[in-house]
Structures are given as C-alpha cells and as structure tokens.
C-alpha cells in the first residue's frame, strides 16, 4: 500500500466508539421512535455537547443512511442535513436549507414568499427530518431581531411542512428550545448529550482506552502501536481534553510521522514531534510527561482558552 493510500485510510477511518453508537441510537429514536416504524412528524429534538465531541460526525453519518433519490414525481429527500452559517440570519438559514434541497430561491423575493416555496419543496420531496447543525449560531448570537422570526420559522417547518427537526450544537441550545413552550411541546423535546471523556470517571477512562485500542486496529502498520497503553493514554487524554475529534486529529498527524519514518508502528518519538508542533507557546512539558491532573501551563495553554477549570473537570488516569 502506498503512502498516499495508507494516510488516506487513516483520514477516512470510521471510529465506532460507544459514544458514537449511543448518539446514533438517540438520533434514530428521535427520528423513528419505533424501530422499523414510521418517522415522527412535527417534533423537535436536540443533540448537544462541547466542540469536537463527535456531534457533526454522528449527524452526518445518520443523514447518509437516507440518500436523496429520484421518485416517480421528482426528488425524494427523507433526511436533510444543514449547518447554520456563523453569520446567519433567518433568511440565511432558509437559503442553506433550500440549497440542501436543490432549490434556488431568488434574493429578490420576500421572506414570506421564500418560506412558502421552501415549505412546498419540503412537502414535495417528502422530507420527514431536518437536521440543523451549529444551531447555537442563531440561538445564542442572533439577538431578538433574529431570534423571534427564527422561532417562527421553526414552528412553520414543524406545523406546515410537517417535518421533524433535530437541533444540534452547544449545550445552550437545549435551554433555548425548552424555554419556548410551543416548541418544547412538540414532542416534549427528546435530547442527547455527547460529552467529553471525563477521566475522573473510571468508566470513561476504560472507554477511552477501548477507543484508543479500536483506532490502533485501523492503523496501516505491520505492528500495533499500543495506543491503549497507559503511557500513551494518559498523554493522549491530556492532548485531546477528552475530545474524540482532537484525539483522532492528533493520531492522524502522528501516523504521518511514522509513515515518513517507514516505522512499523507509531512510537513515542512520533507523538513527541507532533506535540512539539501543536503545543501552545511557553509550554515546556514533554509529551511523555503530560498529565490531565496537571495540564500544561503557558501562554494560551490547553486549559486557559477553552476550559479554565480543565483540571477540575477530570481526574488522573490510573497509571498501571
């Protein structure tokens, strides 16, 4: 296998972690509560968690199970995935959703007419679930001038298009929806949290080791790298902050280093090289000495930007 193919295999590997499987089960339950039964219509649910916890990966994977297809009377799109843009207005959300349906809506027509066209298309294409990722970009940052019409749009999609919605994003989206009785009452707001791995929890530590082991199984080397070994796991948990997205990104870079060296597996030196390239300025601790109980300190260090209480949120790995 060529270097290109080996690295491509890693870039495209599927991480079937227990949390991914739990998320897929929750999403499926929101969509079709009865396995093998009809979809739930006109309800709203929420999938939320911190950045890089695996939300988007699970949501896109679920949506891919329901590809668009050509029916007797046109396109059928059972499930539509969309991501709210960072600077979205309500019209921007509508345009993004319309694009996912292959619908071109002229900016010259007013919002009311554009909404009617969107609802007609959702019905024509038999859409029964709309997945709105990055939902917090409007719910948290839109302001009242955007928030009120956005709530109105959601109700129209639920009522007139008779489609269900799964909102996905940061944890704040659950509270935002729950505060609106007209939204929450449509299905009673089933929800699912995808958390980081908290290494104060023995169960989380064990599961993190299993995830590392399963990734090791997929790596394109003649020997196992031993990612589940505590000497690696402790440092990988610190680097990733318990995030599957960060964990896989770090391992992909280390894989490239090992392939470049023609090594039989990823070794400590490959992780060390990657760590030296990604660690924040001022951080002196080496990869082998990383410990989640004492995260690295330095300018823009791991625990200063995103999680000032990082050490309090986790407990040390049980070094065996």
């Amino acid at each position: 296998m060529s270097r290109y193919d080996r690295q491509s295999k890693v870039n495209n590997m599927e991480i079937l972690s227990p949390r991914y499987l739990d998320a897929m089960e929750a999403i499926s339950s929101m969509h079709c509560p009865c396995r093998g039964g009809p979809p739930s219509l006109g309800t709203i649910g929420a999938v939320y968690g911190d950045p890089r916890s695996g939300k988007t990966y699970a949501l896109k994977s679920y949506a891919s199970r329901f590809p668009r297809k050509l029916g007797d009377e046109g396109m059928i799109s059972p499930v539509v995935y969309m991501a709210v843009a960072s600077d979205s207005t309500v019209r921007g959300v509508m345009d993004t959703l319309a694009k996912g349906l292959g619908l071109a809506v002229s900016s010259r027509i007013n919002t009311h007419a554009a909404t009617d066209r969107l609802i007609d298309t959702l019905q024509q294409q038999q859409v029964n679930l709309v997945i709105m990722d990055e939902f917090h970009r409007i719910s948290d940052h839109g302001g009242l001038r955007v928030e009120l019409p956005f709530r109105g749009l959601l109700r129209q999609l639920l009522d007139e298009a008779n489609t269900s919605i799964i909102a996905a994003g940061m944890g704040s989206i659950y509270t935002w929806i729950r505060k609106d009785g007209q939204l929450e009452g449509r299905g009673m707001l089933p929800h699912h949290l995808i958390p980081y791995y908290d290494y104060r929890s023995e169960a989380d530590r064990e599961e993190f080791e299993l995830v590392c082991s399963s990734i090791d199984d997929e790596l394109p080397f003649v020997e196992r790298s031993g990612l589940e070994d505590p000497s690696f796991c402790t440092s990988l948990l610190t680097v990733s902050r318990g995030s599957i997205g960060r964990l896989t990104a770090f391992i992909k870079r280390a894989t490239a280093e090992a392939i470049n060296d023609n090594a039989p597996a990823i070794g400590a030196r490959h992780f060390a090289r990657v760590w030296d390239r990604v660690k924040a300025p001022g951080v002196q601790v080496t990869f082998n000495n990383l410990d989640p109980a004492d995260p690295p300190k330095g300018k823009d260090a791991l625990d200063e930007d995103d999680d000032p209480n990082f050490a309090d949120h986790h407990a040390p790995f049980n070094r065996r």
Side-chain angles (χ1 to χ4, degrees):
M1 186 183 296
S2 68
R3 290 188 172 191
Y4 184 94
D5 290 339
R6 292 171 72 191
Q7 189 63 41
S8 294
K9 179 183 178 182
V10 175
N11 291 342
N12 297 318
M13 66 181 172
E14 188 174 21
I15 311 300
L16 301 180
S17 69
R19 295 199 174 175
Y20 166 82
L21 297 175
D22 288 345
M24 292 293 279
E25 176 66 24
I27 296 165
S28 178
S29 177
M30 293 178 201
H31 182 206
C32 299
C34 177
R35 294 176 184 173
S40 176
L41 300 176
T43 66
I44 187 167
V47 174
Y48 54 97
D50 290 316
R52 305 292 292 156
S53 59
K55 300 182 299 296
T56 296
Y57 182 67
L59 293 163
K60 285 185 173 181
S61 294
Y62 186 79
S64 69
R65 296 179 177 181
F66 305 88
R68 300 182 73 200
K69 60 184 178 182
L70 183 61
D72 294 337
E73 299 180 2
M75 294 302 300
I76 299 175
S77 308
V79 176
V80 178
Y81 169 90
M82 61 163 287
V84 176
S86 57
D87 57 349
S88 271
T89 59
V90 173
R91 184 60 184 266
V93 172
M94 293 169 57
D95 289 344
T96 302
L97 178 54
K99 184 177 180 180
L101 296 166
L103 172 65
V105 179
S106 172
S107 59
R108 296 180 180 179
I109 67 174
N110 61 41
T111 299
H112 179 77
T115 303
D116 288 344
R117 285 201 62 190
L118 180 60
I119 289 174
D120 287 344
T121 303
L122 287 165
Q123 293 172 334
Q124 291 166 4
Q125 296 193 17
Q126 303 175 42
V127 177
N128 53 61
L129 176 64
V130 174
I131 297 173
M132 289 190 177
D133 204 358
E134 308 296 347
F135 191 90
H136 57 273
R137 288 176 172 172
I138 279 198
S139 63
D140 288 3
H141 307 295
L144 285 178
R145 293 184 63 183
V146 175
E147 179 177 328
L148 294 178
F150 184 51
R151 290 183 186 275
L153 173 64
L154 294 175
R155 294 184 194 117
Q156 282 187 280
L157 295 178
L158 295 169
D159 293 343
E160 299 177 32
N162 202 29
T163 184
S164 287
I165 295 171
I166 291 180
M170 304 292 282
S172 56
I173 69 171
Y174 172 78
T175 302
W176 188 90
I177 299 171
R178 192 169 185 83
K179 286 192 305 182
D180 188 325
Q182 294 188 52
L183 291 176
E184 184 269 343
R186 289 164 166 83
M188 299 185 68
L189 190 55
H191 55 94
H192 181 73
L193 167 67
I194 305 180
Y196 286 161
Y197 284 96
D198 182 345
Y199 78 107
R200 286 177 303 186
S201 162
E202 182 178 355
D204 277 15
R205 297 196 302 270
E206 291 176 353
E207 187 174 312
F208 190 83
E209 290 183 4
L210 289 174
V211 170
C212 289
S213 179
S214 67
I215 292 175
D216 205 344
D217 291 339
E218 300 298 318
L219 296 180
F221 297 107
V222 295
E223 298 177 7
R224 288 183 59 81
S225 299
L227 302 185
E228 71 277 13
D229 187 276
S231 62
F232 280 155
C233 251
T234 302
S235 297
L236 289 173
L237 185 58
T238 309
V239 168
S240 68
R241 289 175 264 177
S243 157
I244 286 290
R246 292 189 183 99
L247 173 67
T248 54
F250 193 81
I251 290 175
K252 286 174 183 178
R253 288 186 176 275
T255 298
E257 293 291 334
I259 292 175
N260 289 340
D261 281 355
N262 293 315
I266 300 175
R269 68 184 185 278
H270 303 121
F271 282 129
R273 283 182 207 160
V274 178
W275 170 242
D276 286 343
R277 292 182 181 133
V278 303
K279 67 184 180 182
V283 171
Q284 300 297 321
V285 63
T286 63
F287 176 79
N288 290 337
N289 291 320
L290 287 170
D291 189 338
D294 184 24
K297 301 296 190 296
K299 182 181 178 181
D300 298 326
L302 287 180
D303 62 329
E304 293 181 355
D305 277 347
D306 296 329
D307 191 352
N309 300 310
F310 178 72
D312 295 333
H313 292 169
H314 305 293
F317 238 99
N318 203 359
R319 294 177 185 267
R320 293 191 294 268

